[in-house]
Amino acid sequence: MRIWVGLAASMGLAAVVADVGQAQEHRELGPHVHGRGTLNIALEGSHLSMEFEAPGADIVGFEHPASTPEQTAAVEKAKKQLAAPQRLFLLPDSAGCALTDAKVTIESEHHGDEHDHDADDHDHDHGSAAPDHAGHQHSAFHAEYAFDCKAPARLVTMGFDYFKRYAGAQRLDVTVITPKGQSSFEVTRDKPRLDLGGII
């Protein structure tokens, strides 16, 4: 969120920065939602920034700290995959975008009983196990990307192979800011394509 908010501020989009701040507060304090991630995109000149976040359960199938060699290997594999965003978030070749930076981290936070699942996600029967969520630790993968694009005006579509890679992923809430303003979209497993025509 830091890079993305900084870019929004430099573009003079104060309202966007305020909205993002409120969204960040809601994300930290609100219920954890499986199957649902966020992708923030900002374009300034030839510089394209993205910030991605998704629950650990969506990416590796669990949300607690890795405790076995298999889980550790899964986390490391996911980090490598997420460090190659051009394979997950498909930009038009004609835009000539080259990845210049990628940072992937895992963030953890403790929650009380608040725990939610995306409506599109499969149902979970918590049954007698529900009390286990009290004080439960949730992890999220967080990534920041930077691209330089030779022809940014051609960034009119984006494909999402992200959903093919991660079976637990059901939805991405996408926010795009450009000098023309801010736009919000919902991309899903069933509709894994974003039309950016008219806002770039």
Side-chain angles (χ1 to χ4, degrees):
M1 198 66 65
R2 296 167 294 278
I3 291 176
W4 195 76
V5 170
L7 184 55
S10 72
M11 295 170 69
L13 297 175
V16 173
V17 175
D19 289 346
V20 171
Q22 291 173 356
Q24 176 78 354
E25 181 180 353
H26 176 74
R27 181 186 65 77
E28 291 177 349
L29 301 177
H32 185 74
V33 183
H34 289 178
R36 180 176 173 181
T38 60
L39 180 66
N40 297 319
I41 303 169
L43 178 66
E44 182 180 30
S46 63
H47 184 72
L48 179 70
S49 298
M50 295 185 191
E51 189 159 31
F52 165 80
E53 187 168 290
D58 296 2
I59 305 299
V60 292
F62 57 89
E63 52 192 8
H64 56 76
S67 58
T68 67
E70 291 78 13
Q71 290 176 349
T72 299
V75 168
E76 292 306 312
K77 179 180 178 181
K79 284 183 176 180
K80 289 181 181 179
Q81 291 174 340
L82 291 172
Q86 65 274 27
R87 297 178 182 174
L88 304 174
F89 312 115
L90 310 180
L91 304 172
D93 290 340
S94 60
C97 296
L99 182 68
T100 59
D101 191 31
K103 297 177 182 177
V104 180
T105 59
I106 298 178
E107 299 177 350
S108 298
E109 57 185 18
H110 286 83
H111 292 267
D113 292 330
E114 288 186 342
H115 194 273
D116 198 4
H117 297 269
D118 187 59
D120 295 329
D121 199 7
H122 56 280
D123 292 332
H124 291 264
D125 181 9
H126 293 296
S128 60
D132 290 342
H133 285 294
H136 189 70
Q137 182 172 344
H138 291 143
S139 65
F141 282 85
H142 181 91
E144 295 177 350
Y145 310 118
F147 296 83
D148 279 332
C149 302
K150 294 180 179 178
R154 296 182 179 177
L155 287 169
V156 294
T157 62
M158 180 181 291
F160 289 82
D161 276 6
Y162 164 73
F163 294 108
K164 294 180 181 179
R165 184 65 60 92
Y166 303 110
Q170 302 296 325
R171 166 181 165 183
L172 278 176
D173 294 326
V174 182
T175 300
V176 181
I177 59 171
T178 72
K180 293 184 179 180
Q182 174 186 5
S183 301
S184 297
F185 305 90
E186 180 180 297
V187 182
T188 66
R189 175 172 293 277
D190 294 332
K191 297 181 179 178
R193 184 178 174 83
L194 186 60
D195 182 2
L196 300 173
I199 66 172
I200 297 300

